[in-house]
Amino acid sequence: MRKIVTTQGFCTPLKGEISVPPDKSMSHRSLIIGSLTKGKIKVSNFLNSADCLATLEILKQLGCSVEFLDENTIVLNAKNVYIEPKSELYCGNSGTTMRLMAGLLAGAGVKCTLSGDISLSKRPMKRIIEPLTKMGASIKSNDGKAPLVIKQAKLNGITYNSPIASAQVKSSILLAGLQIPNEATTVYEPHLSRDHTERMLKYFGADIKTCQKDELFGVTVRHTPLIPKDLNVVGDISSAAFIMVTASIIKDSDIILRNVGINPTRAGIIDVLNSMGAKIEILNKDLISNEEIADVRIKYSPDLKGIKIGGEIIPRLIDEIPIIALLATQAEGKTVISGAADLKNKESDRILCVAKELAKFGAKIEPTDDGFIIEGKNGGKGLFQEGAEVECYHDHRIAMMGYIAGLISAKPSRINDFEWIETSFPSFLQIFETLRS
Ligand code: S3P
């Protein structure tokens, strides 16, 4: 159902402490990789959101038994066998579901069709079709886009140089490669993208090794029976980023976010906040299910400075760029974000949509071919003076960025189609309510 949310001018300070929602990437992988084991796995702190439920429903269609013990605890009864589904496998809005499932099911030799919603059906799938086809898979598509029709085929291991740093591409190939007996599969990428698949495969006992060739980052997987093990999902740094940025902009804020995943391949936002001069502290570091976590304390940061963001850091903060763009409007000086052309291929064209929506609040933001140029302090005016009517373009992160822009604006704002936040952060409004009171 269509949901419209309004903000009423400047927000009061954020105070207190909360746990952030479970990590979306890890939640998908807990089910997908877990399904390759033979036995019972309890997944605690599973993200009960639309994207992850798409993955869960597909696994049920493939014959896996998945049961909720409570809202965020799942028991997966895995067999490492998938039945041929009777109908299409609907991935909804979730690129992770479609790209990882394609690798899993091509590797398992399961005949199926993967489809998605209007946004997912526009996103590029050639990036996985090409390597999986090189491995011997048979995948028909709508000119490189969904729906993907996968036929049964025998796969062989390959060495693949990915032109882009993408965890979805890397994971799709690794999940297919893991299932090929007696052959190794290696993926190289130009920068290191998030490595949750590698870490989780290792956690379940897979033969997986990382390597480096010239400037490239490689990972090799070999067929291994995976051992079922209970797993705990860490807090999602991409969701935490929206709260961290808001606290750093709103006067007198001081919050602690508990159990945030700080895997270095995801934690670019912490580096950016530090470089811009934010008051941020990382406390109580620990390791859970082979992933680093910590508590993050962040306070109002009146002396934020514009910086250059590009190169190897981009895959480490790719999902945080909408909210980093908003942060940059409140920093002193210019921020230039480059090397992020793949933002055009997300749930929306995030280069166009971020620039368009922030400009409605009076931000000085120029979209470029591969990022943005942002004039800080909102062109000398500090917090936004204008309210706006924000559109979301089927994109949860534009919806959340728009809401926060509303919180730092003098006048009321309205965010249309706010229901899109359900894909990754259903408790978003509740968490903001708790921190404001
Ligand atoms: C994801 C990888 C990233 C990210 C997406 C989730 C994952 O996409 O943007 O939200 O879970 O592997 P790309 O691999 O396309 O960069």
Side-chain angles (χ1 to χ4, degrees), residues 197-274:
T197 297
E198 297 91 304
R199 283 170 181 253
M200 204 178 284
L201 283 173
K202 200 171 259 175
Y203 181 76
F204 285 126
D207 180 353
I208 183 159
K209 285 187 185 72
T210 54
C211 58
Q212 198 131 9
K213 183 179 78 178
D214 306 323
E215 306 277 88
L216 302 177
F217 295 85
V219 54
T220 298
V221 74
R222 288 183 173 78
H223 180 65
T224 346
L226 301 186
I227 302 149
K229 244 170 133 180
D230 291 348
L231 189 131
N232 234 298
V233 176
V234 305
D236 197 321
I237 192 166
S238 298
S239 299
F242 289 98
I243 312 168
M244 293 194 262
V245 165
T246 314
S248 68
I249 298 174
I250 295 181
K251 197 159 182 284
D252 295 334
S253 295
D254 183 356
I255 57 166
I256 295 180
L257 304 177
R258 298 267 178 224
N259 299 330
V260 182
I262 55 157
N263 175 327
T265 63
R266 286 287 295 284
I269 177 72
I270 292 177
D271 299 356
V272 161
L273 283 162
N274 271 320

Side-chain angles (χ1 to χ4, degrees), residues 24-25 28-29 96 99-100 123 127 165-169 171 194 318-319 342 346-347 397:
K24 181 156 79 72
S25 291
H28 283 296
R29 285 162 172 80
T96 308
R99 295 190 177 122
L100 269 59
R123 296 177 65 184
R127 54 183 63 194
S166 158
Q168 293 178 353
V169 170
S171 303
R194 65 188 68 187
I318 189 73
D319 291 341
D342 209 34
K346 296 296 175 188
E347 286 83 333
R397 300 202 199 277

